[in-house]
Structures are given as structure tokens and as C-alpha cells.
Amino acid sequence: MNNISKVKLPMGEMNTTPLIDVMLVLLIMFIITIPPINHAVKIDLPSGPSIPNLRPDPVINKVVILPDSQILWNGEPVSLDQMTQFLEQTKTYAPQPELQFQPAPTARYDIVDFALARIKKSEISKFGFVGNEQYYQFDKADN
């Protein structure tokens, strides 16, 4: 009878180690496949060849954002609220003046984003980015 009492019975619990391994692999796969969150302001820019304007605009306004987050309207420092007021005033002109936008390469993204959002909200019809030629050699090695 002593030999019978030493017989081991199978365990009644489920081995969860493989299940945990599969769950961790699935979690890592989901984390890798989740797209990064991007914040963007969508602006419809003209595409295709531009048709030359036979009549020059009476005023061309230029908004520049400096590296120290200062906003310039035609060379004069302004706040976001002042820029919005100027944008509203330009909508009353006929024909509507062109608005040129030039952020500095090292300008803070959030200031540029706020300015673009205000410009889009003002529904300016003539808008363009200027100064993009400064990025022609962006991230290229010097020869």
C-alpha cells in the first residue's frame, strides 16, 4: 500500500505560459502596426501649371515666422490675433491681395501650425508658400 500512495496524479490546472507568450507577441504586433498620430492642417494648394495673371495684385502681403516664434506681417511684428484682423481686412479688398507665407526652417512647429490654421479659417483665396528654394539642399551631403 505504500507504493500506491506515492503515485502522482496529473495536475488539474492549465499551463498558461504558452498563452501569455502568444498574448505578448500579439500585443507587440498591434503596437508596431498602429499608425503614428499626425496633426496636420489641410490646405488646398493649387496644382498643375500656373496661369500668369495679366493684372498685378494691388497689394501682396507677406507673413514671416522667425525662429524665435515672432510673426511678421509685411515686416512688422504682430500677434496671432492682429494677423487674424489683417486677414479679415484683406478679404474686403477687390481684387483680394495675395498672401505669401514663409516660415523659418527652425521656427517652432506649433506657431506655424496656429498661423496656418488662422489663415485657413479666414478663407483667403490667394495663398502661397515662398522661400521653399532654401530647402533645395535639405539633408544632402556637401560635395
Side-chain angles (χ1 to χ4, degrees):
M1 277 239 188
N2 266 345
N3 291 341
I4 293 177
S5 64
K6 293 184 179 179
V7 174
K8 292 186 177 181
L9 297 175
M11 287 179 48
E13 297 175 6
M14 184 173 145
N15 185 4
T16 58
T17 303
L19 179 63
I20 292 171
D21 290 345
V22 169
M23 294 293 284
L24 288 174
V25 168
L26 287 174
L27 178 66
I28 291 170
M29 287 175 53
F30 284 131
I31 290 173
I32 290 173
T33 58
I34 292 175
I37 298 172
N38 292 330
H39 175 74
V41 176
K42 295 183 181 185
I43 296 178
D44 297 327
L45 296 175
S47 61
S50 63
I51 300 170
N53 190 1
L54 301 176
R55 206 174 62 187
D57 288 331
V59 178
I60 296 177
N61 297 306
K62 189 169 185 179
V63 175
V64 177
I65 302 190
L66 300 177
D68 62 350
S69 302
Q70 188 175 23
I71 301 171
L72 301 179
W73 177 275
N74 293 334
E76 297 295 322
V78 295
S79 67
L80 275 173
D81 293 332
Q82 289 172 322
M83 185 188 77
T84 305
Q85 290 173 353
F86 290 147
L87 290 171
E88 292 301 319
Q89 288 176 0
T90 60
K91 284 185 0 182
T92 62
Y93 299 143
Q96 198 175 92
E98 178 181 339
L99 179 66
Q100 298 178 349
F101 186 75
Q102 182 177 9
T106 56
R108 286 185 33 203
Y109 175 78
D110 56 348
I111 300 298
V112 174
D113 188 38
F114 289 142
L116 284 173
R118 298 272 179 108
I119 291 169
K120 177 153 174 81
K121 187 176 178 182
S122 70
E123 300 177 350
I124 296 294
S125 62
K126 296 179 182 177
F127 175 79
F129 289 95
V130 294
N132 290 341
E133 59 275 356
Q134 64 186 333
Y135 304 109
Y136 179 72
Q137 294 294 327
F138 183 75
D139 203 23
K140 291 185 180 178
D142 293 332
N143 291 334

